[in-house]
Amino acid sequence: MESRDRLMAQREMLQHNDPAVYCALVGEEEREQKGVELIPSENYTYPEVLAALGSVFTNKYAEGYPGRRYYGGQEYTDQIETLAVERAKQVFRCEHANVQALSGSPMNQAVYMAFLKPGDTVLGMDLSHGGHLTHGAPVSHMGQIYHFVRYRTEPENQGRIDFEQLRQIARETKPKIVLCGYTSYPRDYDYAEFKRVADEVGAITMADISHIGGLVAGGVMRNPFDYGFDIVTTTTHKSLRGPRGGLILCCEPFAKAIDKSVFPGLQGGPHMNTIAAIAVTLGKALQPEFKAYAAQVLHNAQALAHALMTQGAQLVTGGTENHMMVLDTVKSFALDGKVAEQTLDAISITTNKQIIPDDPNPPLRPSGIRLGTPAATTRGMKEAQMQQLAEWMVNALARHQDENYLNILRQQVEELCLDYAVPGLT
Ligand SMILES: *Cc1c(COP(=O)(O)O)cnc(C)c1O
């Protein structure tokens, strides 16, 4: 069957045999097309990735690594995984890559388990200052197994990391791993400084660049390997635009420990359909168009941040150096982040509520929202659209109780979106 017909046939079978799932799928397709996605960890993946994800690679067990598998029938899985690994090494300029982590959380877990014993110390960022759940949140298993100590940012220094304090904590607690990389930190990372501290106390350097992976791949943000980092982890589904997965990248001396930790240490069979999609994603990241995309993500973030601040909104860190920004909605509009998120939902702009450094409010009603440009940039939006979106957002938040007004704004947002197709949906 021609592939186009086969795809149609698959969808028709789903529609016919499981209308409940099919209806939800169509609803999600419409939602993604209708509004603007500004959650900084989200993106629209490539049609080729959707094809690889929905392929028969999902059928195959491939426990082990290329050339060293536990089951037969691996000629194509080996090709696919080798391709993904080689491309990952080329994109991130490193000696070794493991592409099997099932997502970002097991990816970080595998690194900890490769090098730490229970109770060992990791030095990571304070969670309200931008650290991720997997950087030892008390509610996470990792936070209970290992001993996480925290450095912080300095509000009086526009949210820059306090390296004085970081060095002092490192000297006192002798961590095994010094961890940088964040989920809500709008600045670039000073890898050289982290490396100096880690060397002083004999710690491994780990950068979790999950959010900015695509920007590092596109060469528009610093690459931790240029500063001698040991381990770099990144999700593949955020700015990198791929399927949901994780890469663990490292230099040769750490390769064996990492591979063993992922399999058989933590996981069983890798998701070969995802690995095929990761190979596609990294192939795309090697194209000149991807560099242009990554650069535009940054331009759009500058435009959005600037337009918001010009209209009186207050950003944590006073701007952005990457693809994201944290808007202090309490200071700017006297609204908590939950109400702000809901108000923007009402005008078809998707954002997420976000705790800000030392947030006095509880996590489900925090003091801010987080915005980012990777997804909107994928649809082809540029600086002019960012300015327009900033204006609509500020107006909506300033008049959040005026339902008629919000409806008018929603129509305008949805009209704008008609001009920007979602890849894979046309
Ligand atoms: C998103 C993210 C992760 C975890 O990824 P999941 O795929 O959601 O498990 C880990 N670290 C950082 C910094 C992230 O932003």
Side-chain angles (χ1 to χ4, degrees), residues 147-166:
H147 177 230
F148 282 83
V149 289
R150 306 282 175 203
Y151 55 90
R152 301 154 66 81
T153 61
E154 296 180 283
E156 54 294 346
N157 193 11
Q158 294 214 308
R160 287 188 178 74
I161 286 163
D162 183 348
F163 278 104
E164 275 310 303
Q165 182 204 37
L166 187 149

Side-chain angles (χ1 to χ4, degrees), residues 143-200:
Q144 287 160 23
I145 296 172
Y146 304 115
H147 177 230
F148 282 83
V149 289
R150 306 282 175 203
Y151 55 90
R152 301 154 66 81
T153 61
E154 296 180 283
E156 54 294 346
N157 193 11
Q158 294 214 308
R160 287 188 178 74
I161 286 163
D162 183 348
F163 278 104
E164 275 310 303
Q165 182 204 37
L166 187 149
R167 177 170 289 106
Q168 198 181 334
I169 300 172
R171 282 175 182 160
E172 282 163 13
T173 62
K174 296 275 183 288
K176 286 252 172 77
I177 294 178
V178 170
L179 169 60
C180 72
Y182 317 103
T183 196
S184 61
Y185 183 62
R187 293 193 170 279
D188 203 352
Y189 316 155
D190 186 349
Y191 300 108
E193 199 61 37
F194 284 106
K195 173 78 178 147
R196 267 194 287 279
V197 174
D199 282 351
E200 192 186 315

Side-chain angles (χ1 to χ4, degrees), residues 103-105 108 132 134-135 182-183 208 210-211 235 237-238:
S103 204
S105 300
N108 285 342
H132 187 257
T134 57
H135 302 171
Y182 317 103
T183 196
D208 175 358
S210 287
H211 255 268
T235 55
H237 47 280
K238 296 178 183 173

Side-chain angles (χ1 to χ4, degrees), residues 19 176 225 324:
K176 286 252 172 77
F225 287 118
M324 77 160 80

Side-chain angles (χ1 to χ4, degrees), residues 39-357:
I39 296 176
S41 50
E42 296 197 8
N43 213 328
Y44 306 99
T45 196
Y46 304 97
E48 296 92 324
V49 163
L50 295 176
L53 280 177
S55 71
V56 295
F57 275 119
T58 203
N59 297 339
K60 190 71 196 110
Y61 249 112
E63 279 174 317
Y65 290 99
R68 297 175 280 140
R69 307 276 193 193
Y70 286 72
Y71 300 123
Q74 305 289 354
E75 50 269 53
Y76 301 108
T77 47
D78 276 7
Q79 278 176 27
I80 280 296
E81 186 166 347
T82 304
L83 202 55
V85 167
E86 289 309 315
R87 287 178 179 172
K89 283 155 58 175
Q90 205 181 336
V91 168
F92 291 98
R93 302 195 305 276
C94 59
E95 292 173 358
H96 182 78
N98 185 301
V99 299
Q100 291 195 358
L102 301 178
S103 204
S105 300
M107 153 192 98
N108 285 342
Q109 200 173 334
V111 175
Y112 300 147
M113 292 179 143
F115 304 109
L116 303 174
K117 288 195 283 298
D120 278 352
T121 300
V122 181
L123 176 55
M125 174 90 100
D126 187 287
L127 297 179
S128 83
H129 290 231
H132 187 257
L133 194 65
T134 57
H135 302 171
V139 292
S140 79
H141 293 310
M142 296 302 103
Q144 287 160 23
I145 296 172
Y146 304 115
H147 177 230
F148 282 83
V149 289
R150 306 282 175 203
Y151 55 90
R152 301 154 66 81
T153 61
E154 296 180 283
E156 54 294 346
N157 193 11
Q158 294 214 308
R160 287 188 178 74
I161 286 163
D162 183 348
F163 278 104
E164 275 310 303
Q165 182 204 37
L166 187 149
R167 177 170 289 106
Q168 198 181 334
I169 300 172
R171 282 175 182 160
E172 282 163 13
T173 62
K174 296 275 183 288
K176 286 252 172 77
I177 294 178
V178 170
L179 169 60
C180 72
Y182 317 103
T183 196
S184 61
Y185 183 62
R187 293 193 170 279
D188 203 352
Y189 316 155
D190 186 349
Y191 300 108
E193 199 61 37
F194 284 106
K195 173 78 178 147
R196 267 194 287 279
V197 174
D199 282 351
E200 192 186 315
V201 299
I204 292 171
T205 38
M206 170 179 176
D208 175 358
I209 58 167
S210 287
H211 255 268
I212 57 170
L215 305 173
V216 173
V220 299
M221 285 187 77
R222 295 178 195 132
N223 183 332
F225 287 118
D226 292 340
Y227 301 85
F229 262 57
D230 300 314
I231 315 271
V232 175
T233 60
T234 179
T235 55
T236 45
H237 47 280
K238 296 178 183 173
S239 52
L240 202 51
R241 271 194 78 180
R244 310 196 82 81
L247 304 178
I248 306 175
L249 311 162
C250 62
C251 48
E252 204 49 54
F254 296 93
K256 259 211 172 108
I258 291 289
D259 284 352
K260 260 178 63 186
S261 184
V262 174
F263 176 86
L266 182 66
Q267 299 180 172
H271 295 182
M272 289 313 304
N273 57 328
T274 300
I275 291 175
I278 288 174
V280 171
T281 302
L282 294 167
K284 294 272 191 188
L286 287 165
Q287 307 297 317
E289 291 83 355
F290 192 79
K291 278 194 187 344
Y293 164 71
Q296 190 62 48
V297 167
L298 291 188
H299 295 321
N300 283 354
Q302 286 303 318
L304 185 60
H306 189 257
L308 286 167
M309 291 190 298
T310 313
Q311 292 169 72
Q314 296 207 35
L315 301 184
V316 173
T317 75
T320 178
E321 295 172 357
N322 57 26
H323 64 297
M324 77 160 80
M325 57 217 76
V326 179
L327 172 56
D328 187 324
T329 52
V330 171
K331 272 198 194 142
S332 310
F333 304 100
L335 297 177
D336 71 48
K338 183 177 177 196
V339 174
E341 178 192 298
Q342 285 168 343
T343 303
L344 297 177
D345 266 339
I347 65 164
S348 289
I349 294 179
T350 313
T351 63
N352 69 275
K353 57 183 166 299
Q354 176 66 46
I355 45 172
I356 64 169

